[in-house]
């Protein structure tokens, strides 16, 4: 059974007809060619599929596309569109050597972006706990935690000024 | 700088200013190109039918319903391909007899997850539905679990001196190193495209060894090597898991040719857990004898490794490594180290970060600290009395290995100084007097880092632009960044002038690959050699463009390190808490300290995982119980303690950079130090036989047994 779906992805209106059982991650990757979002498990445990839906972090492997009808979805490709200048989180992740193979990275960056608006202190212990839904096997997490802590401080400080 | 490279793996210098690595830009934008991202229009989706039994006679494979299912193009079994076997293994140890293993099961099912048939369909869901319709007609056979089989597939033996010499103290341990999963974030994936006009094949495969994969695929398809192109694009982690070809990958290639088109396969996390190559899997016994003055008199050990149902290319490496490096940094002259590997009806076991070195460090260092407790000599002092002195390098060990360089005393001293060893011991005593369970454990390890050759090709254009291609690919290590750095330094040009090409057998020279922590030392040295020749030819007046291809062959460089861990065990729950980690590592000359530290941290995380939480568990029928991330624990951000690093540099004389490996050190030193810290914390509980993983449950049971006694 196919369904007609309308939603916003990276600030673009999208209208598609997809099988009802289509997962959000598959819609993004297969229908829209946004392959920056990755799958790493079949139990919604590992996190590289993390995107923003309505500004909140969501595991797109565990959400039907149908459930996102009428909502605004943001993926890693939306952070620095058209090959433009990096988002501050991207810059911090590179500077802090928070990525090696890069597979988990889009999930961590999107998770961090959502965290700006959450009640998570910009300090390592709180950030580590909040990252428990995202696995990394390469880095040992230290660079990621440092990048996210600094990113939260900067983005929360800038919150009153420019939009994210 | 153009934004889009001509081929996916030609990496020019940074397109974003402030990027630490040239790899970062694409990856951070979500523009990384992993195998699943490769666009292959019209490709059929491939799904495997796998054995659900660990051991059975396979009487019949009924594909009729599957073939008739909607969207299905073909269903193939062993009969469709004729006799095709997994490639011959790396003959580092003698493996007598016929150990050939078929790509698809034929007549016998040997492990849960074994590929039996493959379905080709127009969509993943159609392939999945059809795969479930294939019926296997089987008769169960007895299941041999790990270590149950008495016959040895291969043996190793090191004997030296008089192992049974008289001694004042003997420490004995029995240790198990459970199977673990490498758990790279990207599950396996492979695509293949058959070019009928040229009778040639292109394969996209995340692999640590593209040249070998190319040769293996060519052999399986009975093609010459030039007819096969392997492209390893971005790879989401490997750690040894993607170092040797799988039957699935050879079958993707065969299927593409059979249908004269394109085929793609994606594993799932479950499939990787069940049927991917596992790591570790050993049982070890050891005895360390000392004299009254605390000198090591002899080391005896028995090593039993499992290799699972069949032998991947590097199957004998862990056993051999564990045996040959077991004496570690110690001057031990009386040795008896027999070992063997045996088969089981479980998934195959191959190299996984450390590849036998973690097992050796675990056994030796546990013996050393138990011997310290038994003899009443402090564990650091006991080590000091037995180290190979720096002045004795290169050192020929009792197992016939040549340790090229190292200063183990300095490593030990530096780690202890940073840790504040005497103060920490005093504090431990105070806390224990107050009722806490606190342990301090060390691991002093040696780490041989690869040998053999690597190839680099360097070209300089008239405008000064340089391109560099290497036979060593990358799966996150940042090789393109490091290699560009090395080339720029040799050529005296800017890093931004050097473009790096990796992972494509059509465009890169054939090499060995990224394993055994060899890429910087050996791959980097090939680059140095090529650049030096290029520079001298240009300086001699040769007109540009000039291309040089250099092959560098190296004997082993030996890294080493000392990890010290302080650990507290919760007296109520048994939960272990790592309070402090100090780590002095000697990786020789370090080209890029930030990337090296990243490797140390990543290895430490996997080491911590193995020490505290990771284990693949099977039931009596050979079914995997820990088949998903619901049951298999891997470290998360909050599991990682802070690590204090110290760096020692002893240059390796065995390569042009003086470099050694760094990637596997964390897996080698960290679990052994954690084991020792736990045993130290529980030393008043009757020297309990703690095993990995050191879960709260295990430690709690030890506490309860003593309190009930």
């Amino acid at each position: 059974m196919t369904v007609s779906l309308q939603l916003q992805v990276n600030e673009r209106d999208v209208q598609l007809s997809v099988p009802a059982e289509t997962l959000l991650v598959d819609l993004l990757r297969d229908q829209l060619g946004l392959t920056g979002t990755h799958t790493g498990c079949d139990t919604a445990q590992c996190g590289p599929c993390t995107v923003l839906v309505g500004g909140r972090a969501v595991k797109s492997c565990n959400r039907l596309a149908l459930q996102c009808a009428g909502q605004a979805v943001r993926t890693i490709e939306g952070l620095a569109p058209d090959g433009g200048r990096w988002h501050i989180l991207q810059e911090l992740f590179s500077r802090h050597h928070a990525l090696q193979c890069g597979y988990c990275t889009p999930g961590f960056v999107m998770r961090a972006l959502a965290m700006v608006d959450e009640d998570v202190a910009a300090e390592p212990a709180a950030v580590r706990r909040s990252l428990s839904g995202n696995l990394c096997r390469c880095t040992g997490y230290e660079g990621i935690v440092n990048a996210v802590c600094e990113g939260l401080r900067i983005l929360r400080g800038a919150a009153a000024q420019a939009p994210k | 700088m153009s934004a889009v490279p001509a081929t996916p793996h030609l990496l020019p210098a940074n397109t974003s200013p402030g990027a630490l690595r040239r790899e970062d830009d694409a990856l951070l934008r979500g523009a990384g190109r992993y195998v699943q991202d490769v666009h292959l229009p019209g490709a059929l989706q491939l799904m495997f039918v796998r054995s659900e039994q660990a051991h059975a006679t396979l009487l019949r494979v009924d594909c009729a319903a599957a073939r008739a299912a909607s969207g299905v193009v073909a269903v193939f079994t062993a009969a469709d391909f004729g006799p095709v076997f997994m490639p011959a293994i790396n003959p580092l140890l003698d493996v007598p007899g016929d150990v050939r293993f078929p790509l698809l099961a034929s007549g016998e099912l040997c492990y849960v997850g074994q590929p039996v048939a493959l379905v080709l369909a127009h969509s993943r869901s159609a392939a999945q539905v059809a795969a479930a319709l294939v019926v296997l007609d089987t008769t169960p056979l007895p299941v041999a679990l790990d270590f149950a089989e008495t016959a040895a597939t291969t043996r190793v033996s090191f004997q030296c001196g008089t192992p049974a010499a008289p001694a004042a103290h003997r420490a004995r341990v029995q240790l198990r190193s459970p199977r673990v999963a490498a758990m790279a974030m990207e599950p396996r994936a492979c695509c293949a495209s058959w070019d009928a006009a040229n009778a040639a094949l292109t394969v996209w495969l995340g692999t640590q060894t593209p040249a070998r994969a190319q040769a293996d695929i060519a052999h399986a398809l009975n093609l010459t090597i030039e007819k096969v192109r392997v492209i390893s694009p971005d790879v989401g982690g490997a750690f040894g898991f993607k170092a040797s070809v799988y039957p699935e990958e050879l079958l993707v290639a065969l299927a593409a040719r059979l249908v004269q088109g394109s085929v793609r396969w994606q594993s799932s996390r479950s499939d990787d857990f069940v049927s991917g190559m596992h790591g570790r899997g050993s049982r070890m016994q050891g005895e360390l004898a000392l004299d009254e003055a605390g000198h090591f008199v002899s080391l005896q050990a028995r090593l039993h490794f499992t290799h699972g149902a069949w032998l991947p290319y590097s199957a004998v490496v862990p056993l051999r490594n564990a045996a040959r490096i077991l004496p570690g940094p110690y001057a031990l002259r009386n040795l008896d180290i027999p070992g063997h590997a045996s088969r089981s009806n479980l998934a195959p076991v191959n190299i996984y970060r450390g590849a036998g070195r973690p097992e050796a460090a675990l056994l030796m260092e546990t013996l050393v600290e138990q011997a310290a407790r038994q003899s009443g000599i402090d564990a650091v002092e006991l080590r000091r009395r037995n180290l190979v002195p720096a002045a004795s390098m290169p050192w020929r060990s009792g197992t016939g290995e040549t340790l090229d360089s190292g200063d183990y005393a300095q490593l030990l001293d530096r780690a202890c100084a940073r840790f504040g060893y005497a103060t920490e011991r005093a504090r431990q005593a105070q806390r224990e007097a107050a009722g806490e369970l606190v342990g301090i454990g060390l691991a002093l390890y040696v780490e041989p880092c690869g040998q053999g050759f690597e190839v680099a090709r360097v070209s300089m254009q008239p405008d000064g632009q340089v391109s560099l291609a290497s036979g060593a690919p990358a799966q996150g290590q940042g090789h393109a960044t490091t290699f560009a750095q090395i080339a720029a330094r040799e050529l005296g040009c800017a890093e931004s002038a050097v473009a790096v090409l990796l992972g494509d057998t059509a465009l890169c020279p054939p090499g060995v690959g990224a394993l055994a922590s060899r890429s910087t030392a050996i791959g980097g040295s090939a680059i140095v050699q090529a650049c030096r020749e290029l520079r001298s030819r240009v300086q001699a007046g040769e007109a540009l463009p000039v291309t040089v291809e250099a092959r560098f062959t190296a004997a082993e460089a030996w890294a080493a390190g000392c990890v010290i861990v302080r650990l507290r065990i919760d007296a109520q729950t048994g939960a272990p808490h790592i309070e402090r980690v100090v780590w002095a590592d000697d990786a020789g000359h370090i080209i890029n300290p930030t990337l090296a530290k990243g490797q140390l941290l990543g290895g430490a995380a996997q080491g911590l995982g193995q020490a505290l939480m990771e284990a693949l568990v099977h039931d009596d029928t050979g079914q995997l119980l820990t088949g998903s991330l619901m049951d298999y624990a891997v470290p998360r951000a909050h599991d990682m303690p802070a690590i204090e690093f110290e760096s020692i540099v002893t240059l390796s004389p065995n390569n042009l950079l003086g470099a050694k490996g760094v990637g596997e050190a964390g897996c080698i030193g960290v679990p052994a130090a954690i084991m020792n810290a736990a045993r130290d914390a529980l030393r008043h509980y009757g020297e309990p036989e703690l095993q990995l993983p050191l879960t709260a449950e295990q430690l709690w049971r030890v506490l309860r047994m003593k309190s009930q006694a």
Side-chain angles (χ1 to χ4, degrees), chain A residues 40-46 135, chain B residues 180-181 183 268-275 278 613-618 623-634 636:
Chain A
C41 75
D42 16 47
T43 49
Q45 299 263 304
C46 68
L135 296 178
Chain B
V180 293
M183 236 232 65
S268 64
R269 180 59 59 195
S270 314
D271 272 356
D272 272 7
F273 269 123
V274 167
S275 66
H278 292 168
M613 63 187 79
E614 295 186 41
L616 289 163
V617 180
H618 298 85
Q623 298 289 335
L624 182 63
L625 297 175
T626 53
S628 80
L629 290 170
M630 301 288 283
D631 297 298
Y632 187 89
V634 290
R636 293 164 194 271

Side-chain angles (χ1 to χ4, degrees), chain A residues 26 29-30 35-36 38-43 45-46 48 76-77 80 83-86 90 93-95 97 99-106 109 128-129 131-142 145, chain B residues 16 18-21 24-25 27-30 34 36-37 124 181-183 185-187 235-237 239 268-270 352 475-476 594-595 597-599 601-602 605-606 614 628-630 634-638 640:
Chain A
D26 293 330
R29 289 182 53 85
D30 300 338
T35 55
H38 304 134
T39 55
C41 75
D42 16 47
T43 49
Q45 299 263 304
C46 68
I76 187 72
E77 291 91 343
R85 202 188 149 150
W86 273 350
Q90 290 164 319
F93 266 64
S94 179
R95 195 192 311 154
H97 192 31
L99 66 152
Q100 292 184 22
C101 81
Y103 199 77
C104 73
T105 306
V109 171
R128 284 179 186 272
R129 280 191 303 275
L131 291 175
S132 65
N134 289 72
L135 296 178
C136 173
R137 203 54 165 161
C138 291
T139 68
Y141 301 103
E142 185 176 293
V145 173
Chain B
S16 278
L20 181 81
R21 310 181 312 166
D24 288 352
D25 189 71
L27 298 176
L28 282 163
R29 292 177 188 276
Y34 303 86
Q36 307 156 57
D37 306 331
R124 268 207 316 274
M183 236 232 65
M185 292 308 295
E186 181 205 11
V235 183
F239 317 116
S268 64
R269 180 59 59 195
S270 314
Y352 162 56
Q475 308 82 41
T594 306
L595 300 194
K597 186 180 174 195
Q599 289 298 305
L601 283 167
Q606 286 179 305
E614 295 186 41
S628 80
L629 290 170
M630 301 288 283
V634 290
R636 293 164 194 271
H638 60 251
M640 288 304 295

Side-chain angles (χ1 to χ4, degrees), chain B residues 557-568:
Chain B
W558 290 67
C562 182
V563 182
I564 311 183
V565 167
R566 185 180 74 220
L567 176 112
R568 176 178 66 85

